[in-house]
Amino acid sequence: MLTFTCPYCGVHADETELAPGGEAHLKRFGPGSEDEAFEDYLFKRENPKGMHFERWRHAYGCGKWFLAARCTTTLEVFGTYPAQTTEPPQEIKDKISGKRPGWTWRLFS
Amino acid sequence: MPQPVGGFALKKRYSVFAIAREAARHHLGWERAWASPAPKAKYDAIIVGAGGHGLATAYYLGKNHGVRNVAIIEKGWLGGGNTGRNTTIIRSNYLQDPSAAIYEKSRSLYEGLSQDLNYNVMFSPRGVMMLAQTQHEIRGYQRTAYANKLQGVDTEFISPQRVKELCPIMDIDGPRYPVLGALWQPRGGTARHDAVAWGYARACSDMGMDIIQQCEVTAIHQSQGKVTGVSTTKGEISCDKLGVVVAGHSSVLAGMAGFRLPIESLALQALVSEPIKPCMDVVVMANTVHGYMSQSDKGEMVIGGGTDGFNNYTQRGSFHHIEETVRALVETFPMISRLKMLRQWGGIVDMTGDRSPIISKTPVGNIFVNCGWGTGGFKAIPGSGWAMAELMAKGEPGPLAAEFSMDRFRAGKFIDESVAAGVAH
Amino acid sequence: MSTRLATGGRFLDRARPVSFDFNGKRLRGLAGDTIASALLANDQMLVGRSFKYHRPRGVVASGAEEPNGLVNLGKGAKFEPNQRVTTTELFDGLQAASQNHWPSLEFDVGAVNARLSRFLPAGFYYKMFIHPRSFWKHIYEPFIRQSAGLGKAPKDRDTDTYEHFHAHVDVLVVGGGIAGLAAAMAAGQAGARVLLIEQTAHWGGRAGVDQPQIDGKPAQEWIDETVAALGQMPNVQMRLRMMGAGVYDHGYVLAYEKLTEHDPSLAGPRQRLWQVRTARVITCTGAIERPLSFAGNDIPGVMLASALRDYVVNYATSAGDRTVVVTNNDDAYRTAIALKAAGLVVPCIVDARPSPAGELIQTAREMGIRVEAGKGIAKVKGGKRVTGVAICAQAGEGAVLEEIACDAVAMSGGWSPVVHLWSHCGGKLVWDDEKVMFRPDAARGPTGADGALFVLPGGTANGALQTADVLSDAFAAGQAAAQATGHKAKGKAPAGSDPAEGPISPVWMMPQGAGISLREKMWLDYQNDVKVSDVQLAAREGYESVEHAKRYTTLGMATDQGKLSNINGLAVLSDALGAAIPNVGTTTFRPPYTPITLAAIAGVAKGDLFQPVRKTPMHNWHAEHGAEFEPVGQWHRPYAFVRKGETTHDAVAREVNNTRKAMGLLDASTLGKLIVKGPDAGRFLDMMYTNMMSNLAVGKCRYGLMCSENGFLMDDGVVARIDEDTWLCHTTTGGADRVHAHMEDWLQCEWWDWKVYVANVTEQFAQVAVVGPNARKLLEKLGGMDVSKETLPFMQWADGTIGGFDARVFRISFSGELSYEIAVPAGQGLAFWEALMAAGEEFGVMPYGTEALHIMRAEKGFIMIGDETDGTIIPQDLGLSWAISKKKEDFLGKRAQERSHMTDPNRWKLVGLETLDGSVLPDGAYAVASGHNGNGQRNTQGRVTSTYMSPTLGKGIAMGLVLNGPDRMGEVIEFPKLDGTAVQARIVDQVFFDKAGEKQNV
Amino acid sequence: MSDAISPIGDRVTEAFVTVRGMGPRGMITVRGDLSSSKLKAVCTGLAGVDFPKAGHANCVGEKGLCWMSPDEVLILVPYDQTAAALKTLEQALAGTHYMAANVSDARALILLEGAGGREVLAKLAPVDLHPDSFGPGQFRRTRLGQIAAAFWMRDSETFEVICFRSVADYAFDLLSASAKEGPVGYLVP
Ligand SMILES: Cc1cc2nc3c(=O)[nH]c(=O)nc-3n(C[C@H](O)[C@H](O)[C@H](O)COP(=O)(O)OP(=O)(O)OC[C@H]3O[C@@H](n4cnc5c(N)ncnc54)[C@H](O)[C@@H]3O)c2cc1C
Ligand SMILES: NC(=O)c1ccc[n+]([C@@H]2O[C@H](COP(=O)([O-])OP(=O)(O)OC[C@H]3O[C@@H](n4cnc5c(N)ncnc54)[C@H](O)[C@@H]3O)[C@@H](O)[C@H]2O)c1
Ligand SMILES: Cc1cc2nc3c(=O)[nH]c(=O)nc-3n(C[C@H](O)[C@H](O)[C@H](O)COP(=O)(O)O)c2cc1C
Ligand SMILES: [Zn+2]
């Protein structure tokens, strides 16, 4: 039963107030893109055993989508941040590095 | 039956006579069901993952294709993944042709599996019903019934009265979602999940295959685009072919081989009640309200529901899914209200983009994957093993596996079962 | 014999006798009894039968760990199987019956299994019942199933109520023994918000029985003072009869409170399920005593030493007159001392250790109790009740040295900390060789959302056994938890003292060298009948992992979840494997700690509150006018308005005919209504819909299709342009929330720099479709705005008033008739509907439901999301290419629709279907093609998506997807039915009625 | 024009907490830049209260402002003043990027009267309702059982709860059932 702090309204929300939204930082590929790129974007997932970046919506609250850095084996949350970004904030990356030196996720590390 | 191969003697057969004989000497004479050997330096084929699918793959590699220099490598204890923690529903009333084909093959193999393996897997064809509780579900299940007819799957759309006869403890007149009918597969049922893994393991061991437990694959080696072997916690092992059959860990193994899969690992939970005297002789799935239930041969009500929505490798889930499932079933079966939940647990299921499995070649030569069975692959174990063994042995899929290749995602050629208003267990 | 003692009993109220029923016998007990203590007081030692062999079973324990004492409790709606007698408080009129026997507890036919037990070792069924195959279903399995289960299945509907409660605390302390009290005190004094819960009806735990000294006073005094002091703290809450059931990730704890079942005179819910969010959990859950494995240790009268002591001290109940104590540790001497002090006979303490020498041993000896050191029990004598024990040297093979007559045996194999809650979320254990126990490994505990340890064990639950250690450990845990939640630790730990104890010695089998025939009589799991020999068999057969051994033997899988048997079982397993205990490890601890009712999990959500029903403003009117409702999502929509004497089918036909001939009203309030506004709204909608929406003129409407990014059709509806930067999008009934979320998703996560706001105003409006040739007449009669063809042509909308109601009128049609959809504020919906009905009477108005709606749209060949689509259909399949803008570079789904399978010319396409005989095609039927595929399945070439008996045309009409369908007009294809016959149908145009659209464009 | 009917009407459940269905209330959802002084001014002008900070509501009588999200505020006014208020908004904000929608009829309002209101809600919402954590002035959007809802405290003994109109009966029945089951004795002594 996860909890996250919504970065928009500050509510420490219960999982039952949230809607999960899968992997974060997907880059959209539209018409004209390569088959492979499009397939990757729609289906291929990091699904890591360890550090992950994912989307949640504060569905029963302020209605905003936010992103979270969470470990899929310990369920530790390293931080949440607004969805209007293409990259996790440095502060969160640093926090992860402090505890999981050498981590990588897609292009981030 | 497995044939003895050079140097390997068939194990003593299990039978009532064997039991009687052993009883006389206090059961001190039983031999090991499977050996626990150290890994050899090289095998013709390595299967990663000694779940039902991995073991069945090995078994049919030996039985159907004569490939017996095989190791099955398991990071924990064999059968300890989803095979050892599922709600054991077996049915084949799927809508789409490729699904119906492989699940029906599987179901029919289950019918003779105890004899085939000389291990009682307690396949119980007690009948599975999927309740229709909305007009939409009626239509979906009727469509499935028509499809099944042409696919050679024996199903029937039955009336609420017949539902009540088959399952008297159900409240078919519930105020919220009265039962409007059901898709009934009389030869669906359940099996003893652990026994399926153990029976296959015993038969594989009997063929001279090595089941290596407590041994985790940590790297996959390749040369010139082809697999050459694996690193494990028990050392390096070479192989000509590699079958990756690790369910929830498929993405991890694919990562080792350098490719990604259209898979997400999610927790799926189940629970059992305390055991009570037999009161329910069929398996019931109620998809509108999200719950399914059967009674085990020991008397517990075995209950399951939906998956969590986030990636998770912990074998624990969120309680609100249990709450939702239990709520649904108390409403459907009011008499279970005062029964108690004895134990709840979770498993890591591997969900694909279209919720159908993958039995496929991969970007790396001689690496084959079998995964994506998600919430519903227990029923598929024999059929999937059969199809995967064929793929591994021949290097090309046979008709059962053909449609389940992973390039279907690129083409947009999904095998989508959710369309028949069903969840997939 | 077991009996009630004349004096004593901490929990008893001797002034309040109660009477109760056991197996139809009327028995007497006292307020404060549990069923177990009352049964013992009535000399009812035999309480049930075991699962597999139907062995006689007596109470062994005094708490939650009890494996044997399970009863069918209550009658009718209150009936409940498998109720544990040691934790069920007695009340006047209680009815209990023992389980798993026939015809009676004393004479049980099933007991023949015990005689056959030689043939039924662990895993026997995997080896038997294999041949012949057909026997399994009809003979073997029915036989096995007949012997399944313990308690009876309830029959009636539960009439009690249940509820949930959410609590948020800094520190949750589970367990109200002295450890829990000390931990709560530490956290409470520091100022943390604390909740302390105890599963029984009493505070104090074991210390109340053993009475060590705390802070220089008898424990009871300290307990009473501490409970009172905690009760005074505003930041501390304390609750009894509340069990910590499960610890879940991120500090979520499930707790189960029993409110009324111990006292039927109380009102209110029976149980309350607490969902606690806590920063820290302190588990002060104590320890559970382990049985010893000796032959006959399952005979009624063999009990845990601590339990015998509990019954004497708490309930003034003796389990026997002569009790032999058998132990490997000092604590059991307390039982001998307590029994002796109560005037009972303790013929002998059999101690497996060669030279026991603690203070307690001294005391026992001084009291004149005989101590036999280095000895064990070779065998317990008796059948349904202990009659004596044979003792032997512990070191040997069991040669009998002496027989001692007795009617009870008190056994103690040491203590196992209750680590369940610590372990639920991944807390690991460490094996303590000295104390012979698994205890929490502080270095590998469960971590929470912040990565820090969030479960802290305290007291005996953390492996401390001496009172002094228990208190200091728990107090420290309380302080640590308070500090972790931002409070400053205060105060100091209470000081405890009790007699010094000598070391325990591990004893996993008695005697150490017991042969197979003894091992076959040593029970590990009493309920599931798992014996030492079974675990050894599992090891021998290769079921070496502790998890395999568990599943193969069923050890620890019974309703007590192995609270008594697990550690003993794994010790036997490790011995059989020649491995160290910590290398074998334990099985996984899973919630709940003890079983909780499914009803409590469901809470109030049953009957009317099972799920929300969404109602339109006119819902009650519909219900009063014969509506048969259909759930659509959570909405309830009228399927048809059935009149007296009509079938549903008649009603539907009448509604269709009337609407086509005169006029019908449809409650369309459930259709989704989304306002999309902003300078970038047009551009945004161009991405959302396959059509172009940015160029829609103000005042006009356009039918739009919405696809998922995966290319599949997900929703459709009419979009209206309200003003320069505002659009109103209609969605399907089920689609409003989904489409709204979909839009927000894209706006917030992809095009967050676009200036667009979306609002879901679905429920702000009641919407009524006024449909049929007389529609305009009705609106004109009500008056207020010009709804003429000229002013308000097809596919336009206008604001105004109708009959005095503020209305927005859309001229759109889903039926092919002259039709207006009129939105009014929801609060006026009912009044508006009634006004339409009243004014429409002269024009033949009738309400119609969703089925008539479906039929009329099918007659017109309109698609329906969920019928023609199923999540795998693209607009191109449905002949809707006209609604896919060719001009746009991009829209959601466009890229996906370029993939090879989507552009495959062999995709099935939508057509109309007409049976040759006018009958109705079966819904969902497939059209066959010749031959079979590679898997032996019949080839197909199409399927039915919608099919109805058309009341308008008097024949069956259908739509379906057919291979190359649009190119095969007139061709006849065959649809096999389930009964073996087949129907022939001709491929036709999908528009069956008014192809020219003459009726709607008037 | 006929009088608006509130979805719950005047249903009342008397228990340890009184659950009372309320008549219609004017509610306008405003989305826009909440930091804009123009927007703030018109909102505070209409509601007659200060602009609330995140997670808060300022309500006096039938009027008030509730902070819904970083770009959304809910204006409460007497029901019959809604249309006028909307006009005022439109005039004041014309030319800016904003949205104002009348949602008065889309919502239902329920009052919980009595000290135990905290416990009635805590039976249904996963929210910390301890007096130290939630009090007058605060505003919470969350779920009640299986539906979305929001609440704030009119005073220390009164909660105002809003939910969607279509589920008003469910919400009322749920709150009533919780009230009828009696106090828990946890948040309220
Ligand atoms: C709660 C629940 C209920 C379910 N109910 C049903 C049902 O009713 N009916 C149904 O048909 N299906 C059901 N399923 C699904 C079904 O259990 C699975 O689809 C099926 O068991 C998958 O089998 P498998 O052999 O592929 O995977 P598993 O049994 O999970 O085996 C995979 C094995 O791979 C091993 N492994 C992983 N990584 C490595 C590595 N690096 N090295 C070595 N070994 C590794 C794992 O330890 C594991 O043992 C359910 C699943 C769950 C969790
Ligand atoms: N010397 C020994 O061998 C020995 C062994 C055991 C205990 N003791 C003595 O017993 C006392 C133990 O004190 P303690 O407080 O640590 O343990 P305790 O056993 O006295 O108290 C634990 C309490 O927790 C409750 N509990 C357990 N699980 C629970 C759950 N899930 N939910 C709610 N309540 C739950 C139990 O009902 C019990 O009241 C000490 O005085 C200790 O010295 C001594
Ligand atoms: C069909 C089925 C029936 C089960 N019956 C029981 C049971 O009667 N008693 C029990 O303790 N556990 C039962 N379990 C649960 C297992 O004990 C265990 O929780 C599950 O296999 C997952 O393993 P884990 O909890 O060790 O991770 C059952 C599991 C399944 C799949
Ligand atoms: Zn938020």
Side-chain angles (χ1 to χ4, degrees), chain C residues 242-255:
Chain C
M242 181 153 152
M243 188 246 315
V247 172
Y248 299 78
D249 289 293
H250 290 198
Y252 176 93
V253 180
L254 212 57

PDB file of all heavy atoms in Angstrom, chain C residues 242-255:
ATOM      1  N   MET C 242      -8.149  -6.040  19.905  1.00  0.00           N
ATOM      2  CA  MET C 242      -7.787  -5.531  18.580  1.00  0.00           C
ATOM      3  C   MET C 242      -6.445  -6.122  18.188  1.00  0.00           C
ATOM      4  O   MET C 242      -5.439  -5.921  18.858  1.00  0.00           O
ATOM      5  CB  MET C 242      -7.724  -4.004  18.647  1.00  0.00           C
ATOM      6  CG  MET C 242      -7.390  -3.346  17.336  1.00  0.00           C
ATOM      7  SD  MET C 242      -8.097  -1.691  17.327  1.00  0.00           S
ATOM      8  CE  MET C 242      -6.981  -0.837  16.254  1.00  0.00           C
ATOM      9  N   MET C 243      -6.462  -6.864  17.098  1.00  0.00           N
ATOM     10  CA  MET C 243      -5.297  -7.627  16.689  1.00  0.00           C
ATOM     11  C   MET C 243      -4.579  -6.922  15.540  1.00  0.00           C
ATOM     12  O   MET C 243      -5.225  -6.478  14.584  1.00  0.00           O
ATOM     13  CB  MET C 243      -5.780  -9.008  16.234  1.00  0.00           C
ATOM     14  CG  MET C 243      -4.685 -10.013  15.941  1.00  0.00           C
ATOM     15  SD  MET C 243      -4.559 -10.533  14.220  1.00  0.00           S
ATOM     16  CE  MET C 243      -6.231 -10.835  13.754  1.00  0.00           C
ATOM     17  N   GLY C 244      -3.283  -6.833  15.646  1.00  0.00           N
ATOM     18  CA  GLY C 244      -2.492  -6.368  14.517  1.00  0.00           C
ATOM     19  C   GLY C 244      -2.456  -7.499  13.503  1.00  0.00           C
ATOM     20  O   GLY C 244      -1.818  -8.525  13.723  1.00  0.00           O
ATOM     21  N   ALA C 245      -3.169  -7.349  12.397  1.00  0.00           N
ATOM     22  CA  ALA C 245      -3.361  -8.475  11.487  1.00  0.00           C
ATOM     23  C   ALA C 245      -2.283  -8.552  10.415  1.00  0.00           C
ATOM     24  O   ALA C 245      -1.851  -9.647  10.044  1.00  0.00           O
ATOM     25  CB  ALA C 245      -4.739  -8.385  10.831  1.00  0.00           C
ATOM     26  N   GLY C 246      -1.855  -7.403   9.942  1.00  0.00           N
ATOM     27  CA  GLY C 246      -0.881  -7.458   8.860  1.00  0.00           C
ATOM     28  C   GLY C 246      -0.143  -6.144   8.733  1.00  0.00           C
ATOM     29  O   GLY C 246      -0.731  -5.088   8.911  1.00  0.00           O
ATOM     30  N   VAL C 247       1.135  -6.240   8.441  1.00  0.00           N
ATOM     31  CA  VAL C 247       1.929  -5.038   8.176  1.00  0.00           C
ATOM     32  C   VAL C 247       2.224  -5.014   6.684  1.00  0.00           C
ATOM     33  O   VAL C 247       2.702  -6.007   6.132  1.00  0.00           O
ATOM     34  CB  VAL C 247       3.243  -5.055   8.982  1.00  0.00           C
ATOM     35  CG1 VAL C 247       4.145  -3.905   8.565  1.00  0.00           C
ATOM     36  CG2 VAL C 247       2.940  -4.984  10.479  1.00  0.00           C
ATOM     37  N   TYR C 248       1.914  -3.906   6.055  1.00  0.00           N
ATOM     38  CA  TYR C 248       2.097  -3.767   4.611  1.00  0.00           C
ATOM     39  C   TYR C 248       3.056  -2.610   4.342  1.00  0.00           C
ATOM     40  O   TYR C 248       3.386  -1.844   5.236  1.00  0.00           O
ATOM     41  CB  TYR C 248       0.743  -3.506   3.934  1.00  0.00           C
ATOM     42  CG  TYR C 248      -0.241  -4.626   4.142  1.00  0.00           C
ATOM     43  CD1 TYR C 248      -0.918  -4.765   5.349  1.00  0.00           C
ATOM     44  CD2 TYR C 248      -0.469  -5.578   3.157  1.00  0.00           C
ATOM     45  CE1 TYR C 248      -1.816  -5.807   5.556  1.00  0.00           C
ATOM     46  CE2 TYR C 248      -1.369  -6.621   3.347  1.00  0.00           C
ATOM     47  CZ  TYR C 248      -2.034  -6.728   4.555  1.00  0.00           C
ATOM     48  OH  TYR C 248      -2.913  -7.762   4.748  1.00  0.00           O
ATOM     49  N   ASP C 249       3.442  -2.511   3.074  1.00  0.00           N
ATOM     50  CA  ASP C 249       4.436  -1.518   2.713  1.00  0.00           C
ATOM     51  C   ASP C 249       4.007  -0.099   3.056  1.00  0.00           C
ATOM     52  O   ASP C 249       2.824   0.204   3.141  1.00  0.00           O
ATOM     53  CB  ASP C 249       4.743  -1.652   1.217  1.00  0.00           C
ATOM     54  CG  ASP C 249       5.527  -2.929   0.949  1.00  0.00           C
ATOM     55  OD1 ASP C 249       6.667  -3.007   1.397  1.00  0.00           O
ATOM     56  OD2 ASP C 249       4.971  -3.866   0.337  1.00  0.00           O
ATOM     57  N   HIS C 250       4.993   0.737   3.232  1.00  0.00           N
ATOM     58  CA  HIS C 250       4.798   2.157   3.513  1.00  0.00           C
ATOM     59  C   HIS C 250       3.987   2.409   4.785  1.00  0.00           C
ATOM     60  O   HIS C 250       3.191   3.352   4.846  1.00  0.00           O
ATOM     61  CB  HIS C 250       4.155   2.868   2.310  1.00  0.00           C
ATOM     62  CG  HIS C 250       5.099   2.989   1.140  1.00  0.00           C
ATOM     63  ND1 HIS C 250       4.909   3.860   0.107  1.00  0.00           N
ATOM     64  CD2 HIS C 250       6.255   2.340   0.851  1.00  0.00           C
ATOM     65  CE1 HIS C 250       5.894   3.760  -0.770  1.00  0.00           C
ATOM     66  NE2 HIS C 250       6.717   2.829  -0.343  1.00  0.00           N
ATOM     67  N   GLY C 251       4.178   1.547   5.775  1.00  0.00           N
ATOM     68  CA  GLY C 251       3.586   1.826   7.083  1.00  0.00           C
ATOM     69  C   GLY C 251       2.087   1.655   7.175  1.00  0.00           C
ATOM     70  O   GLY C 251       1.423   2.282   7.993  1.00  0.00           O
ATOM     71  N   TYR C 252       1.559   0.803   6.345  1.00  0.00           N
ATOM     72  CA  TYR C 252       0.121   0.515   6.402  1.00  0.00           C
ATOM     73  C   TYR C 252      -0.070  -0.749   7.241  1.00  0.00           C
ATOM     74  O   TYR C 252       0.564  -1.763   6.985  1.00  0.00           O
ATOM     75  CB  TYR C 252      -0.379   0.303   4.982  1.00  0.00           C
ATOM     76  CG  TYR C 252      -1.818  -0.095   4.815  1.00  0.00           C
ATOM     77  CD1 TYR C 252      -2.803   0.880   4.614  1.00  0.00           C
ATOM     78  CD2 TYR C 252      -2.200  -1.425   4.809  1.00  0.00           C
ATOM     79  CE1 TYR C 252      -4.121   0.522   4.406  1.00  0.00           C
ATOM     80  CE2 TYR C 252      -3.519  -1.785   4.604  1.00  0.00           C
ATOM     81  CZ  TYR C 252      -4.482  -0.817   4.403  1.00  0.00           C
ATOM     82  OH  TYR C 252      -5.778  -1.173   4.189  1.00  0.00           O
ATOM     83  N   VAL C 253      -0.901  -0.651   8.248  1.00  0.00           N
ATOM     84  CA  VAL C 253      -1.131  -1.813   9.108  1.00  0.00           C
ATOM     85  C   VAL C 253      -2.626  -2.081   9.190  1.00  0.00           C
ATOM     86  O   VAL C 253      -3.427  -1.166   9.354  1.00  0.00           O
ATOM     87  CB  VAL C 253      -0.587  -1.579  10.539  1.00  0.00           C
ATOM     88  CG1 VAL C 253      -0.830  -2.807  11.407  1.00  0.00           C
ATOM     89  CG2 VAL C 253       0.906  -1.250  10.484  1.00  0.00           C
ATOM     90  N   LEU C 254      -2.940  -3.337   9.055  1.00  0.00           N
ATOM     91  CA  LEU C 254      -4.333  -3.749   9.151  1.00  0.00           C
ATOM     92  C   LEU C 254      -4.552  -4.245  10.573  1.00  0.00           C
ATOM     93  O   LEU C 254      -3.790  -5.083  11.063  1.00  0.00           O
ATOM     94  CB  LEU C 254      -4.528  -4.901   8.181  1.00  0.00           C
ATOM     95  CG  LEU C 254      -5.859  -5.066   7.520  1.00  0.00           C
ATOM     96  CD1 LEU C 254      -6.245  -3.818   6.766  1.00  0.00           C
ATOM     97  CD2 LEU C 254      -5.780  -6.242   6.549  1.00  0.00           C
ATOM     98  N   ALA C 255      -5.560  -3.729  11.239  1.00  0.00           N
ATOM     99  CA  ALA C 255      -5.863  -4.207  12.589  1.00  0.00           C
ATOM    100  C   ALA C 255      -7.343  -4.559  12.667  1.00  0.00           C
ATOM    101  O   ALA C 255      -8.178  -3.936  12.005  1.00  0.00           O
ATOM    102  CB  ALA C 255      -5.498  -3.156  13.614  1.00  0.00           C
TER     103      ALA C 255
END
